[in-house]
Amino acid sequence: MNDKLSWADLEVFFHVAESGGLSAAGRLTGLSPPTVGRRMLALEQRAGQALFHRSQTGYSLTPAGKALHDRVRAMHSCSIPVQEILHARRETPLIRLSVGTATAHFLADKFSLLNRSSDGFRLNFVTTEVVLDIAHREVDLGIRNRPAEAGNLASLRLGILRFAPYRSWSVGNPDLLGWVGIDPTHAKHAAVRWLHDQGHGISVLANSIATVHELVRSGAGIGVMPCMIGDCDPSLARVGPIIEELTEQQYLVMHDDDRHRAPIRRLIERLTKIYQDNRPLLAGDRPMRGNASA
């Protein structure tokens, strides 16, 4: 190499290598894509060799780039706890946990088991049905119904989640109830698409699981919900058996470079314990009352 490489340039290189493009790296570094491109050209000139293959689909690493990326990724991982120490007095670290609406409802009730004032970190619930990009640090952890498929990610099995149909106990004529469901535009998850796929007549539509829950509680109709939500609500009754085809495995997905950091490791251990302790509830094995007739 002709010149000593700076960590600032290596960090930009890391984000280009991880994201595969200038625009994504620019968003992560606060630089414009042209500036990122110029810095990568300058880095290659100082290195004396090509680090990227450039194409219309983005940037991919050459063998030299892959070798450099392996070392820079380790450096980046080590820099994170250093940054935490330097910033500890300025701001308490924030751990962003991405969860769906139903899971957020389930975990919010157990907040004291997840985060304590003495922990030295704050918990940020990011409630969304969209799969956020952990590899590129949109969030730190995510609870999902499938393991990580690509990127520098790790997955941990949490437990089985089952679904059943529910109605309000207070309804006088349950035989007359129709279904409450998510509208087709927002029906992304298998459990909310099920009503549409089965061809059930949906009398009331909503665009969120939380609204479906409130509508079912009010007596508007029958809704499909995770047992961890329906069986904990004393105003609801099951109106049929567990829908086995909707059974899914829950995973905790994390960045492989972050999972050994003390605050994140502590949160992972607590999430795992909550899922273990509530396994019968999640699996639908302990309804609060006996099944009601539809």
Coordinates of all heavy atoms in Angstrom, one line a residue, residues 115-204:
N115 N -36.5 -4.8 30.9 CA -35.6 -3.6 31.1 C -35.8 -3.0 32.5 O -36.9 -2.8 32.9 CB -36.0 -2.5 30.0 CG -35.0 -1.5 29.8 OD1 -35.2 -0.5 29.2 ND2 -33.8 -1.7 30.3
R116 N -34.7 -2.8 33.1 CA -34.7 -2.2 34.5 C -33.8 -0.9 34.5 O -32.9 -0.8 33.7 CB -34.1 -3.2 35.5 CG -34.9 -4.5 35.5 CD -34.1 -5.7 36.0 NE -34.8 -7.0 35.7 CZ -34.2 -8.1 35.8 NH1 -32.9 -8.2 36.1 NH2 -34.9 -9.2 35.5
S117 N -34.1 -0.1 35.4 CA -33.4 1.2 35.5 C -31.9 1.1 35.7 O -31.2 2.0 35.3 CB -34.0 2.1 36.6 OG -33.9 1.4 37.9
S118 N -31.5 0.0 36.3 CA -30.1 -0.2 36.5 C -29.3 -0.9 35.4 O -28.1 -1.1 35.5 CB -29.9 -1.1 37.8 OG -30.5 -2.4 37.6
D119 N -30.0 -1.2 34.3 CA -29.4 -1.9 33.2 C -28.4 -1.2 32.4 O -27.5 -1.7 31.8 CB -30.5 -2.4 32.2 CG -31.2 -3.6 32.7 OD1 -30.6 -4.4 33.5 OD2 -32.3 -3.9 32.2
G120 N -28.5 0.2 32.3 CA -27.6 0.9 31.5 C -27.9 1.0 30.1 O -27.1 1.3 29.2
F121 N -29.1 0.6 29.7 CA -29.6 0.7 28.3 C -31.1 1.0 28.3 O -31.8 0.7 29.3 CB -29.3 -0.5 27.5 CG -30.1 -1.8 27.8 CD1 -31.4 -2.0 27.4 CD2 -29.6 -2.7 28.7 CE1 -32.1 -3.1 27.7 CE2 -30.3 -3.9 29.0 CZ -31.6 -4.1 28.5
R122 N -31.6 1.6 27.3 CA -33.0 1.9 27.1 C -33.5 1.0 26.0 O -32.8 0.7 25.0 CB -33.3 3.4 26.8 CG -32.9 4.3 27.9 CD -33.1 5.8 27.4 NE -32.2 6.1 26.3 CZ -32.4 6.9 25.3 NH1 -33.6 7.6 25.3 NH2 -31.5 7.1 24.4
L123 N -34.8 0.6 26.1 CA -35.4 -0.3 25.1 C -36.3 0.5 24.2 O -37.2 1.3 24.7 CB -36.2 -1.4 25.8 CG -36.8 -2.5 25.0 CD1 -35.7 -3.2 24.1 CD2 -37.4 -3.5 25.8
N124 N -36.1 0.4 22.9 CA -37.0 1.1 21.9 C -37.8 0.0 21.2 O -37.2 -0.7 20.4 CB -36.1 1.9 21.0 CG -36.8 2.6 19.9 OD1 -36.2 3.1 19.0 ND2 -38.1 2.7 20.0
F125 N -39.1 -0.1 21.4 CA -40.0 -1.0 20.7 C -40.2 -0.3 19.3 O -40.7 0.8 19.2 CB -41.3 -1.2 21.4 CG -41.2 -2.2 22.6 CD1 -40.9 -1.7 23.8 CD2 -41.5 -3.5 22.3 CE1 -40.9 -2.6 24.9 CE2 -41.5 -4.4 23.4 CZ -41.2 -4.0 24.7
V126 N -39.9 -1.1 18.3 CA -40.2 -0.6 16.9 C -41.3 -1.6 16.4 O -41.1 -2.7 16.0 CB -39.0 -0.7 16.0 CG1 -39.3 -0.2 14.6 CG2 -37.8 0.1 16.6
T127 N -42.6 -1.1 16.5 CA -43.7 -2.0 16.2 C -44.1 -1.8 14.7 O -44.5 -0.8 14.3 CB -44.9 -1.6 17.1 OG1 -44.6 -1.7 18.4 CG2 -46.1 -2.6 16.8
T128 N -43.9 -2.9 14.0 CA -44.2 -2.9 12.6 C -44.4 -4.3 12.0 O -43.9 -5.2 12.6 CB -43.0 -2.2 11.8 OG1 -43.3 -2.3 10.4 CG2 -41.7 -2.9 12.1
E129 N -45.2 -4.4 11.0 CA -45.3 -5.7 10.3 C -44.3 -5.9 9.2 O -44.2 -6.9 8.5 CB -46.7 -5.9 9.7 CG -47.8 -5.6 10.7 CD -47.8 -6.4 12.0 OE1 -47.3 -7.5 12.0 OE2 -48.1 -5.8 13.1
V130 N -43.5 -4.8 9.0 CA -42.5 -4.9 7.9 C -41.2 -5.5 8.5 O -40.8 -5.2 9.6 CB -42.2 -3.4 7.4 CG1 -41.0 -3.4 6.4 CG2 -43.5 -2.8 6.8
V131 N -40.5 -6.3 7.7 CA -39.2 -6.8 8.1 C -38.1 -5.8 7.9 O -37.7 -5.5 6.8 CB -38.9 -8.1 7.3 CG1 -37.5 -8.7 7.8 CG2 -39.9 -9.2 7.6
L132 N -37.6 -5.3 9.0 CA -36.6 -4.2 9.0 C -35.2 -4.9 8.8 O -35.0 -6.0 9.1 CB -36.6 -3.3 10.2 CG -37.9 -2.6 10.4 CD1 -37.9 -1.7 11.6 CD2 -38.2 -1.7 9.2
D133 N -34.3 -4.1 8.3 CA -32.9 -4.6 7.9 C -32.0 -4.5 9.1 O -31.4 -3.5 9.3 CB -32.4 -3.8 6.7 CG -31.2 -4.5 6.0 OD1 -30.6 -5.3 6.7 OD2 -30.9 -4.1 4.9
I134 N -31.8 -5.7 9.7 CA -30.8 -5.7 10.9 C -29.4 -5.7 10.4 O -28.5 -5.1 11.0 CB -31.1 -7.0 11.7 CG1 -32.5 -6.9 12.3 CG2 -30.0 -7.1 12.8 CD1 -32.9 -8.2 13.0
A135 N -29.1 -6.3 9.2 CA -27.8 -6.3 8.7 C -27.2 -4.9 8.5 O -26.0 -4.7 8.6 CB -27.7 -7.1 7.4
H136 N -28.1 -4.0 8.1 CA -27.7 -2.6 7.9 C -28.1 -1.7 9.0 O -28.3 -0.5 8.8 CB -28.2 -2.1 6.5 CG -27.7 -2.9 5.4 ND1 -28.5 -3.4 4.3 CD2 -26.4 -3.4 5.1 CE1 -27.7 -4.1 3.5 NE2 -26.5 -4.1 3.9
R137 N -28.4 -2.3 10.2 CA -28.6 -1.5 11.4 C -29.8 -0.7 11.4 O -29.8 0.4 12.1 CB -27.3 -0.6 11.7 CG -26.0 -1.3 11.5 CD -25.7 -2.3 12.6 NE -24.3 -2.9 12.4 CZ -23.7 -3.6 13.3 NH1 -24.3 -3.9 14.4 NH2 -22.5 -4.1 13.0
E138 N -30.9 -1.1 10.7 CA -32.1 -0.3 10.9 C -32.7 -0.6 12.3 O -33.3 0.3 12.9 CB -33.2 -0.8 9.9 CG -32.9 -0.3 8.5 CD -34.1 -0.5 7.5 OE1 -34.6 -1.7 7.5 OE2 -34.5 0.4 6.9
V139 N -32.5 -1.8 12.8 CA -32.8 -2.1 14.2 C -31.7 -3.0 14.7 O -30.9 -3.5 14.0 CB -34.2 -2.8 14.4 CG1 -35.3 -1.8 14.1 CG2 -34.3 -4.0 13.5
D140 N -31.7 -3.3 16.0 CA -30.7 -4.2 16.6 C -31.1 -5.6 16.8 O -30.3 -6.6 16.6 CB -30.3 -3.6 18.0 CG -29.8 -2.2 18.0 OD1 -28.8 -2.0 17.3 OD2 -30.5 -1.3 18.5
L141 N -32.4 -5.8 17.1 CA -33.0 -7.2 17.2 C -34.3 -7.2 16.6 O -35.0 -6.2 16.5 CB -33.1 -7.6 18.7 CG -31.9 -7.6 19.6 CD1 -32.3 -7.7 21.1 CD2 -31.0 -8.8 19.2
G142 N -34.8 -8.4 16.1 CA -36.1 -8.5 15.6 C -36.7 -9.9 15.9 O -36.0 -10.9 15.9
I143 N -38.0 -9.9 16.3 CA -38.7 -11.2 16.5 C -39.5 -11.4 15.2 O -40.3 -10.6 14.8 CB -39.6 -11.1 17.7 CG1 -38.7 -10.9 19.0 CG2 -40.4 -12.4 17.9 CD1 -39.5 -10.8 20.3
R144 N -39.2 -12.6 14.6 CA -39.8 -12.9 13.3 C -40.3 -14.4 13.3 O -40.0 -15.2 14.1 CB -38.7 -12.7 12.2 CG -38.1 -11.3 12.2 CD -37.0 -11.2 11.2 NE -36.5 -9.8 11.1 CZ -35.5 -9.4 10.4 NH1 -34.8 -10.3 9.7 NH2 -35.1 -8.2 10.3
N145 N -41.0 -14.7 12.2 CA -41.5 -16.0 12.0 C -40.7 -16.9 11.1 O -41.1 -17.9 10.6 CB -43.0 -16.0 11.6 CG -43.2 -15.3 10.2 OD1 -42.2 -14.9 9.6 ND2 -44.4 -15.3 9.8
R146 N -39.5 -16.4 10.8 CA -38.5 -17.2 10.0 C -37.1 -16.8 10.4 O -36.9 -15.7 10.9 CB -38.7 -17.0 8.5 CG -38.6 -15.6 8.0 CD -38.9 -15.5 6.6 NE -38.7 -14.2 6.0 CZ -39.7 -13.3 6.0 NH1 -40.9 -13.6 6.5 NH2 -39.5 -12.1 5.5
P147 N -36.1 -17.7 10.3 CA -34.8 -17.3 10.7 C -34.1 -16.4 9.6 O -34.7 -16.2 8.5 CB -34.0 -18.7 10.7 CG -34.8 -19.5 9.7 CD -36.2 -19.1 9.8
A148 N -33.0 -15.8 10.0 CA -32.3 -15.0 9.0 C -31.8 -15.8 7.8 O -31.4 -17.0 8.0 CB -31.1 -14.4 9.7
E149 N -31.9 -15.2 6.7 CA -31.6 -16.0 5.4 C -30.3 -15.5 4.8 O -29.8 -16.2 3.9 CB -32.8 -15.8 4.4 CG -34.1 -16.5 5.0 CD -35.3 -16.2 4.1 OE1 -35.1 -15.4 3.1 OE2 -36.3 -16.8 4.4
A150 N -29.9 -14.3 5.1 CA -28.7 -13.7 4.5 C -28.1 -12.7 5.3 O -28.6 -12.3 6.4 CB -29.1 -13.1 3.1
G151 N -26.9 -12.3 5.0 CA -26.2 -11.2 5.7 C -25.5 -11.8 6.9 O -25.6 -13.0 7.2
N152 N -24.8 -10.9 7.6 CA -24.0 -11.3 8.8 C -25.0 -11.3 10.0 O -24.8 -10.5 11.0 CB -22.9 -10.3 9.0 CG -21.9 -10.7 10.1 OD1 -21.7 -11.9 10.3 ND2 -21.4 -9.8 10.8
L153 N -25.9 -12.3 10.0 CA -27.0 -12.3 11.0 C -27.0 -13.7 11.7 O -26.5 -14.7 11.2 CB -28.4 -12.1 10.4 CG -28.6 -10.8 9.6 CD1 -29.9 -10.8 9.0 CD2 -28.4 -9.6 10.6
A154 N -27.5 -13.7 12.9 CA -27.7 -14.9 13.7 C -29.1 -15.1 14.1 O -29.8 -14.1 14.3 CB -26.8 -14.9 14.9
S155 N -29.6 -16.3 14.3 CA -31.0 -16.5 14.7 C -31.1 -17.5 15.9 O -30.3 -18.4 16.0 CB -31.8 -17.2 13.5 OG -31.7 -16.4 12.4
L156 N -32.1 -17.2 16.8 CA -32.3 -18.0 17.9 C -33.7 -18.4 18.0 O -34.6 -17.5 17.9 CB -31.9 -17.2 19.2 CG -32.1 -17.9 20.6 CD1 -31.1 -19.1 20.7 CD2 -31.8 -16.9 21.7
R157 N -34.0 -19.7 18.1 CA -35.4 -20.1 18.3 C -36.0 -19.7 19.6 O -35.4 -19.9 20.6 CB -35.5 -21.7 18.2 CG -35.3 -22.3 16.8 CD -35.3 -23.8 16.9 NE -35.1 -24.4 15.6 CZ -36.1 -24.8 14.8 NH1 -37.3 -24.7 15.2 NH2 -35.8 -25.4 13.7
L158 N -37.2 -19.1 19.6 CA -37.9 -18.6 20.8 C -39.0 -19.6 21.2 O -39.1 -19.9 22.4 CB -38.4 -17.2 20.6 CG -37.4 -16.1 20.5 CD1 -38.1 -14.8 20.2 CD2 -36.6 -16.0 21.8
G159 N -39.8 -20.0 20.3 CA -40.9 -20.9 20.6 C -42.0 -21.0 19.6 O -41.9 -20.2 18.6
I160 N -42.9 -21.8 19.8 CA -44.0 -22.1 18.8 C -45.2 -21.1 19.2 O -45.5 -20.9 20.3 CB -44.6 -23.5 19.0 CG1 -43.5 -24.5 18.5 CG2 -45.8 -23.7 18.1 CD1 -43.1 -24.4 17.0
L161 N -45.7 -20.5 18.1 CA -46.9 -19.6 18.2 C -48.0 -20.1 17.5 O -47.9 -20.5 16.3 CB -46.5 -18.2 17.7 CG -47.5 -17.1 17.8 CD1 -47.8 -16.8 19.3 CD2 -47.0 -15.8 17.1
R162 N -49.2 -20.2 18.1 CA -50.4 -20.7 17.5 C -51.5 -19.7 17.5 O -51.5 -18.8 18.3 CB -50.9 -22.0 18.2 CG -49.9 -23.2 17.9 CD -50.5 -24.5 18.3 NE -49.7 -25.6 17.8 CZ -48.8 -26.3 18.6 NH1 -48.6 -25.9 19.8 NH2 -48.1 -27.3 18.1
F163 N -52.5 -19.9 16.6 CA -53.6 -19.0 16.4 C -54.9 -19.7 16.5 O -55.0 -20.9 16.2 CB -53.5 -18.4 15.0 CG -52.2 -17.5 14.8 CD1 -51.0 -18.1 14.5 CD2 -52.3 -16.2 14.8 CE1 -49.9 -17.4 14.4 CE2 -51.2 -15.4 14.6 CZ -50.0 -16.0 14.4
A164 N -56.0 -18.9 16.9 CA -57.3 -19.5 17.0 C -58.3 -18.4 16.7 O -58.0 -17.2 16.8 CB -57.5 -20.1 18.4
P165 N -59.6 -18.7 16.4 CA -60.6 -17.7 16.3 C -61.2 -17.3 17.6 O -61.5 -18.2 18.5 CB -61.7 -18.4 15.4 CG -61.5 -19.9 15.7 CD -60.1 -20.1 16.1
Y166 N -61.6 -16.0 17.8 CA -62.1 -15.5 19.1 C -63.3 -14.6 18.8 O -63.4 -14.0 17.7 CB -61.0 -14.7 19.8 CG -59.9 -15.6 20.3 CD1 -58.8 -15.8 19.5 CD2 -59.9 -16.1 21.6 CE1 -57.7 -16.6 19.9 CE2 -58.8 -16.9 22.1 CZ -57.7 -17.1 21.2 OH -56.7 -17.9 21.7
R167 N -64.2 -14.5 19.8 CA -65.3 -13.6 19.8 C -65.4 -13.0 21.2 O -64.8 -13.5 22.1 CB -66.6 -14.2 19.4 CG -67.1 -15.2 20.4 CD -68.6 -15.5 20.1 NE -69.2 -16.5 21.0 CZ -69.6 -16.4 22.2 NH1 -69.5 -15.2 22.8 NH2 -70.1 -17.4 22.9
S168 N -66.3 -12.0 21.3 CA -66.5 -11.4 22.6 C -67.5 -12.3 23.4 O -68.5 -12.8 22.9 CB -67.1 -10.0 22.5 OG -67.6 -9.5 23.7
W169 N -67.2 -12.4 24.7 CA -68.2 -13.2 25.6 C -69.5 -12.5 25.7 O -70.5 -13.2 26.0 CB -67.6 -13.3 27.0 CG -66.6 -14.5 27.2 CD1 -65.3 -14.4 27.3 CD2 -67.0 -15.8 27.3 NE1 -64.7 -15.7 27.4 CE2 -65.8 -16.6 27.5 CE3 -68.2 -16.5 27.4 CZ2 -65.7 -17.9 27.7 CZ3 -68.2 -17.9 27.5 CH2 -67.0 -18.6 27.7
S170 N -69.5 -11.2 25.5 CA -70.8 -10.5 25.8 C -71.8 -10.5 24.6 O -72.9 -9.9 24.8 CB -70.4 -9.0 26.1 OG -69.8 -8.4 25.0
V171 N -71.4 -11.1 23.5 CA -72.4 -11.1 22.4 C -73.6 -12.0 22.7 O -73.4 -13.1 23.1 CB -71.6 -11.6 21.1 CG1 -72.6 -11.7 19.9 CG2 -70.5 -10.6 20.7
G172 N -74.8 -11.4 22.4 CA -76.0 -12.1 22.7 C -76.3 -13.2 21.7 O -76.9 -14.2 22.1
N173 N -76.0 -13.0 20.4 CA -76.4 -13.9 19.4 C -75.1 -14.3 18.6 O -74.9 -13.8 17.4 CB -77.4 -13.3 18.5 CG -78.7 -13.1 19.2 OD1 -79.4 -14.0 19.7 ND2 -79.2 -11.8 19.2
P174 N -74.2 -15.1 19.2 CA -72.9 -15.4 18.5 C -73.1 -16.0 17.1 O -72.2 -15.9 16.3 CB -72.2 -16.3 19.5 CG -73.3 -16.8 20.3 CD -74.3 -15.8 20.4
D175 N -74.2 -16.8 16.9 CA -74.4 -17.4 15.6 C -74.6 -16.4 14.5 O -74.4 -16.8 13.3 CB -75.7 -18.3 15.7 CG -75.5 -19.5 16.6 OD1 -74.4 -19.8 17.0 OD2 -76.5 -20.1 17.0
L176 N -74.9 -15.2 14.8 CA -75.1 -14.2 13.7 C -73.8 -13.4 13.4 O -73.8 -12.6 12.5 CB -76.2 -13.2 14.2 CG -77.6 -13.8 14.5 CD1 -78.5 -12.7 15.0 CD2 -78.1 -14.6 13.3
L177 N -72.7 -13.7 14.1 CA -71.5 -13.0 13.9 C -70.8 -13.3 12.6 O -70.8 -14.4 12.2 CB -70.5 -13.2 15.1 CG -70.8 -12.7 16.4 CD1 -69.7 -13.1 17.4 CD2 -70.8 -11.1 16.4
G178 N -70.3 -12.2 12.0 CA -69.5 -12.4 10.8 C -68.0 -12.4 11.2 O -67.7 -12.5 12.4
W179 N -67.1 -12.2 10.3 CA -65.7 -12.2 10.6 C -65.1 -10.8 10.6 O -65.6 -9.9 9.8 CB -64.9 -13.0 9.6 CG -65.2 -14.5 9.8 CD1 -66.2 -15.2 9.2 CD2 -64.4 -15.4 10.5 NE1 -66.1 -16.6 9.5 CE2 -65.0 -16.7 10.4 CE3 -63.3 -15.3 11.4 CZ2 -64.5 -17.8 11.0 CZ3 -62.8 -16.4 12.0 CH2 -63.4 -17.7 11.8
V180 N -64.2 -10.5 11.4 CA -63.4 -9.3 11.4 C -62.0 -9.6 10.8 O -61.4 -10.5 11.3 CB -63.3 -8.6 12.8 CG1 -62.5 -7.4 12.7 CG2 -64.7 -8.4 13.4
G181 N -61.6 -8.9 9.8 CA -60.3 -9.2 9.2 C -59.5 -8.0 8.8 O -60.0 -6.9 8.7
I182 N -58.2 -8.2 8.4 CA -57.4 -7.2 7.9 C -57.7 -7.0 6.4 O -57.9 -8.0 5.7 CB -55.9 -7.5 8.0 CG1 -55.5 -7.7 9.5 CG2 -55.0 -6.5 7.4 CD1 -55.5 -6.5 10.3
D183 N -57.8 -5.7 5.9 CA -58.1 -5.5 4.5 C -57.0 -6.1 3.6 O -55.8 -6.2 4.1 CB -58.3 -4.0 4.2 CG -57.0 -3.2 4.5 OD1 -56.1 -3.3 3.7 OD2 -57.0 -2.4 5.5
P184 N -57.3 -6.5 2.4 CA -56.3 -7.1 1.5 C -55.0 -6.4 1.3 O -53.9 -7.0 1.2 CB -57.0 -7.3 0.2 CG -58.5 -7.3 0.6 CD -58.6 -6.4 1.7
T185 N -55.0 -5.1 1.3 CA -53.8 -4.3 1.1 C -52.8 -4.5 2.3 O -51.6 -4.5 2.0 CB -54.2 -2.8 1.1 OG1 -55.1 -2.6 0.0 CG2 -52.9 -1.9 0.8
H186 N -53.3 -4.7 3.5 CA -52.4 -4.8 4.6 C -52.3 -6.2 5.1 O -51.7 -6.5 6.1 CB -52.9 -3.9 5.8 CG -52.9 -2.5 5.5 ND1 -53.9 -1.8 4.9 CD2 -51.9 -1.5 5.7 CE1 -53.6 -0.5 4.7 NE2 -52.4 -0.3 5.2
A187 N -52.9 -7.2 4.4 CA -52.9 -8.6 4.8 C -51.6 -9.3 4.4 O -51.6 -10.0 3.4 CB -54.1 -9.3 4.3
K188 N -50.5 -9.0 5.0 CA -49.2 -9.5 4.6 C -48.9 -10.8 5.3 O -48.3 -11.7 4.7 CB -48.1 -8.5 5.0 CG -48.4 -7.1 4.4 CD -48.5 -7.1 2.9 CE -48.6 -5.7 2.4 NZ -48.8 -5.6 0.9
H189 N -49.3 -11.0 6.6 CA -49.0 -12.1 7.4 C -49.9 -13.3 7.1 O -51.1 -13.1 6.8 CB -49.0 -11.8 8.9 CG -48.5 -12.8 9.8 ND1 -49.3 -13.9 10.2 CD2 -47.3 -13.0 10.4 CE1 -48.6 -14.7 11.0 NE2 -47.4 -14.1 11.1
A190 N -49.4 -14.5 7.1 CA -50.3 -15.7 6.8 C -51.5 -15.8 7.6 O -52.6 -16.2 7.1 CB -49.4 -17.0 7.0
A191 N -51.4 -15.4 8.9 CA -52.6 -15.5 9.8 C -53.7 -14.5 9.4 O -54.9 -14.8 9.6 CB -52.1 -15.3 11.3
V192 N -53.3 -13.4 8.9 CA -54.4 -12.4 8.5 C -54.8 -12.7 7.1 O -55.9 -12.2 6.7 CB -53.9 -11.0 8.7 CG1 -53.6 -10.7 10.2 CG2 -52.6 -10.7 7.9
R193 N -54.0 -13.4 6.3 CA -54.5 -13.7 4.9 C -55.4 -14.9 4.9 O -56.1 -15.2 4.0 CB -53.2 -14.1 4.0 CG -52.4 -12.9 3.6 CD -51.5 -13.2 2.4 NE -50.7 -14.4 2.7 CZ -49.5 -14.4 3.2 NH1 -48.9 -13.3 3.5 NH2 -48.8 -15.6 3.3
W194 N -55.4 -15.7 6.0 CA -56.1 -16.9 6.1 C -57.6 -16.8 5.8 O -58.2 -17.6 5.1 CB -55.9 -17.6 7.5 CG -56.6 -18.9 7.7 CD1 -56.1 -20.1 7.3 CD2 -57.8 -19.1 8.4 NE1 -57.0 -21.1 7.7 CE2 -58.0 -20.5 8.3 CE3 -58.8 -18.3 9.0 CZ2 -59.2 -21.1 8.9 CZ3 -59.9 -18.9 9.5 CH2 -60.1 -20.3 9.5
L195 N -58.2 -15.7 6.4 CA -59.6 -15.5 6.2 C -59.9 -15.3 4.7 O -60.9 -15.8 4.2 CB -60.1 -14.3 7.0 CG -60.3 -14.4 8.5 CD1 -60.7 -13.1 9.1 CD2 -61.3 -15.5 8.8
H196 N -59.1 -14.5 4.0 CA -59.3 -14.3 2.6 C -59.1 -15.6 1.8 O -59.8 -15.9 0.9 CB -58.3 -13.2 2.1 CG -58.4 -11.9 2.8 ND1 -59.4 -11.0 2.4 CD2 -57.8 -11.3 3.8 CE1 -59.3 -9.9 3.2 NE2 -58.3 -10.1 4.0
D197 N -58.0 -16.4 2.2 CA -57.8 -17.6 1.5 C -58.9 -18.6 1.6 O -59.1 -19.4 0.7 CB -56.4 -18.2 2.0 CG -55.2 -17.3 1.6 OD1 -55.4 -16.5 0.7 OD2 -54.2 -17.5 2.3
Q198 N -59.5 -18.6 2.8 CA -60.6 -19.6 3.1 C -61.9 -19.2 2.5 O -62.9 -20.0 2.4 CB -60.8 -19.7 4.6 CG -59.6 -20.3 5.3 CD -59.3 -21.7 4.9 OE1 -60.2 -22.6 4.8 NE2 -58.0 -22.0 4.6
G199 N -62.0 -17.9 2.0 CA -63.2 -17.4 1.4 C -64.3 -17.1 2.4 O -65.5 -17.0 2.1
H200 N -63.9 -16.9 3.7 CA -64.9 -16.5 4.7 C -65.4 -15.1 4.4 O -64.7 -14.2 4.0 CB -64.3 -16.5 6.1 CG -64.0 -17.9 6.6 ND1 -65.0 -18.9 6.8 CD2 -62.8 -18.5 7.0 CE1 -64.4 -20.0 7.2 NE2 -63.1 -19.8 7.4
G201 N -66.7 -14.9 4.7 CA -67.3 -13.6 4.5 C -66.9 -12.7 5.6 O -67.1 -12.9 6.8
I202 N -66.2 -11.6 5.2 CA -65.6 -10.7 6.2 C -66.6 -9.5 6.3 O -66.7 -8.8 5.3 CB -64.2 -10.3 5.8 CG1 -63.3 -11.5 5.8 CG2 -63.6 -9.3 6.9 CD1 -61.9 -11.2 5.3
S203 N -67.2 -9.3 7.4 CA -68.2 -8.2 7.6 C -67.5 -6.9 8.0 O -68.1 -5.8 7.7 CB -69.2 -8.6 8.6 OG -68.6 -8.9 9.8
V204 N -66.4 -6.9 8.6 CA -65.7 -5.7 9.1 C -64.2 -5.8 8.7 O -63.6 -6.8 9.0 CB -65.9 -5.4 10.6 CG1 -65.3 -4.1 11.0 CG2 -67.3 -5.5 11.0

